[in-house]
Amino acid sequence: MTTTGEEHTTGRGGPWWWTRWRSAVLDVGLAAASAVECAFEGIHFARDAGIPLAAGIVFGVLAGSALLFRRKWPIAVVLVAIAITPAQMGYLMGIVGLYTLAASELPRRIIASLAGMSLVGMLIVMFVRVRQDMARGDLDLGDWFVPFAAITTAIGMTAPPLLLGLYVGARRRLMESLRERADSLERELQLLAERAEERAEWARNEERTRIARDMHDVVAHRVSLMVVHAAALQAVARKDPEKAVRNAVLVGDMGRQALTELREMLGVLRSGEGSRRPEPAVPLAAVGVAAAVAASRFADDGEGPCLEELDELIGQSAAAGMVVDLSVEGDVRLYAAEVEETAYRVVQEALTNVHKHAAGAKTHVRLAHRVSEIAMQVENESPPEVSSASSARLPSGGNGLVGMKERVTALGGVFVSGPTDAGGYRVSAVIPA
């Protein structure tokens, strides 16, 4: 912003200290008009002072040309106008100088001081001039007219440019403040949009991870048992047809259970599509909300597994040839749906890992109901060197332990896993109740 309160809206496009060529042309025109005015008034000043006319004209031109610097040095212009007021010249420069000074960003005390000096100077000069005119006989209106003419003229030449300059300066500052606030608001909105995009991307990634974890928990255990039973079926098909039939029935039952759980999960994910089918796209900010709604709906409908189903889960592993020992400590009670589902999934994934990596090993499942938490531990012994199920060669994606840890830590629990000294493997988790 310049000293007159003008804003650099288009950058520095003018010469020297002017921001625009239009401002430069205006100031040059005003300076030329002031120089001409002061030149004519310099003639009368030269005659009254008894100096050559040329000196008075040159003095007037130089003094009036000071208006050219009104934007650069408004205080100097006003001081020059006050200084040449006794010579009865520079009226245009005084008016424009006061306007520029009042519209500038200078402190109000400086503006008030210079305006007061200009008012007093104009009052004294006009008082003397009107009194001289009445003494010469040019005016014959009475003694009351001298102070009246001096006061009204001084106020008329000082107050209007001062008030207009104050108004213009205040308006410019207000517009600048509003423009800065608008720019700041635009930057804040852009920053909020970027943050919303980041949160939406984070929500999408979290939802992908959650879906992948749920799909892994649902599919891996069932399919692992199906593969184990299929391998056993292949081994005993000719030797023991009755056992082969039982294994085939188990494979079919597990496959149907896996398909049922997958349909339930996909149904939850697709349940919100029918009501919003006409919309071409889903807002980014709604991704996280949709994920939370889908997860909560899945839990509220009672479709998720609970701790009461652990006996069935262990029975399925036992039917696949695994020796599983379940022990429960403490008083059995109900927990939140997400706590029971997480505990169930931890045991399920741990048993799945035993099927994959330690087929035939004896496994101990311990569940402890404590005052403010529930603890579970799945530990398998060292697997036998030769196992009929080892030929199944179950693949492993390496995401089971990661998924279990994510589930437990999301509820504020602690998850620990690692090999034991006896050559087995232990998975432990504690979840706040």
Side-chain angles (χ1 to χ4, degrees), residues 186-248:
E186 183 178 0
R187 289 192 297 269
E188 290 179 1
L189 290 177
Q190 184 177 2
L191 181 60
L192 289 176
E194 293 176 355
R195 292 181 177 176
E197 179 69 22
E198 293 176 357
R199 287 194 297 267
E201 183 65 24
W202 175 84
R204 283 194 292 265
N205 293 333
E206 288 294 318
E207 181 62 8
R208 293 190 190 101
T209 304
R210 190 190 68 83
I211 294 175
R213 184 170 58 244
D214 291 342
M215 297 287 284
H216 177 274
D217 292 339
V218 170
V219 175
H221 182 74
R222 304 291 185 189
V223 174
S224 298
L225 292 179
M226 290 170 62
V227 173
V228 172
H229 282 293
L233 177 62
Q234 182 181 3
V236 301
R238 295 182 180 179
K239 298 179 181 180
D240 191 352
E242 294 182 0
K243 186 175 181 179
V245 172
R246 290 195 300 270
N247 288 339

Side-chain angles (χ1 to χ4, degrees), residues 96-169:
V96 177
L98 279 178
Y99 164 79
T100 306
L101 180 69
S104 66
E105 294 291 334
L106 293 173
R108 293 296 178 86
R109 61 179 183 275
I110 296 178
I111 297 175
S113 300
L114 293 177
M117 293 172 59
S118 179
L119 176 66
V120 172
M122 185 64 64
L123 180 65
I124 295 175
V125 169
M126 292 306 300
F127 185 87
V128 173
R129 183 174 180 177
V130 173
R131 191 175 185 84
Q132 289 177 351
D133 292 341
M134 293 186 65
R136 288 195 301 266
D138 296 338
L139 295 174
D140 189 11
L141 296 175
D143 295 338
W144 64 268
F145 183 73
V146 175
F148 173 77
I151 294 174
T152 53
T153 304
I155 294 177
M157 296 188 66
T158 304
L162 181 65
L163 296 177
L164 181 61
L166 292 174
Y167 167 75
V168 172

